[in-house]
């Protein structure tokens, strides 16, 4: 059963259980992610041996103005990302459905550290790769993430890896006047979204609509995958964050704050709360997300660099192209 029938509850349950327990996995490969991205069409692909799933690929498809589709396997597939032969086999299983859906490119961007030999292997297997040959802003996901190593570390060990100024601010954010609540309900989402929206207005940046976040709550209801954190004083909410606890890491994905009571250092307190949860859950990594420059020109890098001294460079985008003309139009838009 290489292509999973979305209407087959038992097959989808089996697929979801595999993806959630696999050693190489990501929240964006979970079928729940497709429920959040509900304007994309899902496609779930497996390899099996002796009746057991051995590898998987969650694909989301969206059409361009010409009716041709981008197929995106975000942070996937669910297998050893250095095992190019297994990736080839997954792609081969998916290809009939991709061609039937008029897909012009299947894009993958596995979370594996950049390596010249692996990069060459993908090219030798017929993929087009986009990493050091394109700009920092030219990929769907940032190629550089600030990822904290938590493996076999106590929370005190982790604190000592921070830069001195960040360590000072984290310590001073731990005070009785500042409390962090956490959960995964609509009530916590109400509080988070108010902070996220306020920050977006203040900074003049675009932001996602509320129903996008509501779908996160619904998609992962009854699990501890979605984690919402809100730091507040005695009188008001000051900072919020949204993270996913999945696989071997906790991934900080969205944040928001107001400028009130700055001496309480709420953004530092909320980072500390998420790091503590990751350590308590015995996760190997805490992912602060991507950056688009490796210097002070990027405000995100400037803040995250206090927690993680060196960015992790990923392999980038691995593209299987089916229509070169449509693909060139896409990458050169």
């Amino acid at each position: 059963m290489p292509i999973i029938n979305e209407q087959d509850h038992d097959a989808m349950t089996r697929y979801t259980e595999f993806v959630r327990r696999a050693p190489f996995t990501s929240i964006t490969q979970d079928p729940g992610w497709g429920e959040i991205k509900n304007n994309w069409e899902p496609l779930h692909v497996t390899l099996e041996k002796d009746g057991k799933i051995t590898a998987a690929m969650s694909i989301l498809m969206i059409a361009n103005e010409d009716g041709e589709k981008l197929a995106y396997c975000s942070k996937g597939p669910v297998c050893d990302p250095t095992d190019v032969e297994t990736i080839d086999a997954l792609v081969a299983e998916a290809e009939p459905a991709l061609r039937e859906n008029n897909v012009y490119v299947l894009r993958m961007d596995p979370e594996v550290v950049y390596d010249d030999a692996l990069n060459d292997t993908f090219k030798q297997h017929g993929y087009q790769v986009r990493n050091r040959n394109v700009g920092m802003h030219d990929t769907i996901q940032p190629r550089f993430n600030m990822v904290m190593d938590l493996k076999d570390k106590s929370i005190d060990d982790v604190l000592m890896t921070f830069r001195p100024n960040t360590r000072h601010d984290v310590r001073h954010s731990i005070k009785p006047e500042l409390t962090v609540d956490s959960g995964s309900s609509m009530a916590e989402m109400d509080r988070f979204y108010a902070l996220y929206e306020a920050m977006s207005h203040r900074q003049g940046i675009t932001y996602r609509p509320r129903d996008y976040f509501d779908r996160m709550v619904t998609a992962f209801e009854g699990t501890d995958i979605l984690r919402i954190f809100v730091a507040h004083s005695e009188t008001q909410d000051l900072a919020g964050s949204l993270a996913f606890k999945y696989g071997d890491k906790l991934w900080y994905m969205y944040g928001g704050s107001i400028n009130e009571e700055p001496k309480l250092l709420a953004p530092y307190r909320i980072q500390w709360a998420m790091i503590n949860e990751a350590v308590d859950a015995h996760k190997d990594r805490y992912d602060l997300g991507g950056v688009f420059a490796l210097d002070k020109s990027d405000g995100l890098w400037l803040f995250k660099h206090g927690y993680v001294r060196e960015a992790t460079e990923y392999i980038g985008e691995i593209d299987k192209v089916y229509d070169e003309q449509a693909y060139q139009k896409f990458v050169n838009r």
Side-chain angles (χ1 to χ4, degrees):
M1 192 175 4
I3 305 294
I4 305 299
N5 180 356
E6 287 274 319
Q7 308 308 314
D8 186 332
H9 178 267
D10 291 343
M12 284 302 299
T13 298
R14 178 171 173 261
Y15 180 89
T16 302
E17 288 176 351
F18 172 79
V19 173
R20 291 183 180 179
R21 295 173 181 172
F24 301 99
T25 193
S26 170
I27 181 63
T28 54
Q29 284 293 288
D30 192 281
W33 196 252
E35 296 176 30
I36 298 165
K37 306 288 239 182
N38 65 353
N39 59 323
W40 296 63
E41 301 171 63
L43 183 69
H44 304 295
V45 186
T46 62
L47 296 179
E48 297 196 16
K49 184 177 182 180
D50 300 328
K52 294 183 178 180
I53 299 174
T54 58
M57 174 186 284
S58 293
I59 297 169
L60 294 175
M61 299 178 290
I62 194 166
N64 63 17
E65 62 273 14
D66 299 320
E68 296 173 301
K69 293 178 183 177
L70 161 68
Y72 184 33
C73 176
S74 177
K75 301 287 187 180
V78 183
C79 66
D80 181 345
T82 67
D83 184 351
V84 181
E85 290 186 357
T86 293
I87 293 174
D88 285 345
L90 279 165
V91 171
E93 292 286 1
E95 275 189 348
L98 296 177
R99 293 186 184 279
E100 183 180 331
N101 278 278
N102 199 26
V103 164
Y104 63 89
V105 63
L106 168 63
R107 169 162 291 178
M108 302 168 281
D109 48 12
E111 284 194 342
V112 60
V113 172
Y114 178 87
D115 176 79
D116 282 333
L118 180 60
N119 188 61
D120 290 342
T121 299
F122 275 116
K123 289 192 286 187
Q124 291 162 8
H125 281 242
Y127 299 97
Q128 297 198 35
V129 295
R130 304 180 76 250
N131 41 54
R132 294 180 177 180
N133 57 335
V134 299
M136 292 277 278
H137 292 269
D138 293 336
T139 52
I140 295 176
Q141 302 288 341
R143 276 203 318 110
F144 290 87
N145 273 42
M146 306 301 279
V147 183
M148 189 180 298
D149 179 16
L150 305 178
K151 191 171 184 179
D152 300 325
K153 289 186 173 67
S154 70
I155 194 63
D156 290 332
D157 293 335
V158 173
L159 179 64
M160 294 308 297
T161 66
F162 300 171
R163 289 187 174 274
N165 288 347
T166 298
R167 188 162 59 242
H168 171 274
D169 287 341
V170 166
R171 283 173 169 158
H172 281 264
S173 73
I174 303 169
K175 57 192 71 176
E177 310 97 283
L178 189 62
T179 304
V180 177
D181 299 331
S182 62
S184 57
S185 71
M186 285 295 184
E188 282 93 17
M189 188 61 82
D190 287 342
R191 297 169 65 191
F192 164 77
Y193 193 80
L195 293 160
Y196 168 74
E197 187 176 41
M199 182 193 71
S200 300
H201 284 306
R202 185 178 72 247
Q203 296 183 351
I205 57 177
T206 58
Y207 60 98
R208 293 193 180 275
R210 173 59 195 265
D211 60 356
Y212 182 84
F213 292 93
D214 288 350
R215 291 195 295 272
M216 293 181 182
V217 175
T218 302
F220 297 108
E221 188 174 8
T223 74
D224 68 346
I225 291 172
L226 172 66
R227 305 295 296 142
I228 305 167
F229 300 81
V230 179
H232 63 93
S233 67
E234 295 177 356
T235 59
Q236 60 188 329
D237 292 339
L238 298 171
S241 63
L242 189 154
F244 288 94
K245 189 161 56 175
Y246 205 95
D248 70 347
K249 74 176 182 180
L250 189 141
W251 182 3
Y252 165 50
M253 196 172 288
Y254 291 97
S257 62
I258 60 174
N259 283 338
E260 304 298 320
E261 303 182 71
K263 291 183 179 179
L264 291 181
L265 299 169
Y268 290 91
R269 181 69 182 86
I270 212 156
Q271 287 294 329
W272 188 234
M274 289 189 288
I275 294 165
N276 271 266
E277 176 144 337
V279 170
D280 290 345
H282 306 289
K283 298 300 182 185
D284 290 342
R285 299 180 292 157
Y286 173 62
D287 192 340
L288 283 93
V291 293
F292 289 98
L294 302 178
D295 55 43
K296 294 179 181 180
S297 66
D298 183 353
L300 288 174
W301 178 88
L302 192 59
F303 178 75
K304 296 173 182 181
H305 189 234
Y307 295 92
V308 179
R309 296 181 183 237
E310 290 189 16
T312 298
E313 181 186 4
Y314 290 132
I315 192 71
E317 294 173 339
I318 314 299
D319 291 347
K320 183 69 171 179
V321 178
Y322 299 102
D323 183 327
E324 185 66 31
Q325 184 176 355
Y327 176 70
Q328 290 301 324
K329 183 178 179 181
F330 171 61
V331 297
N332 294 309
R333 66 196 188 282

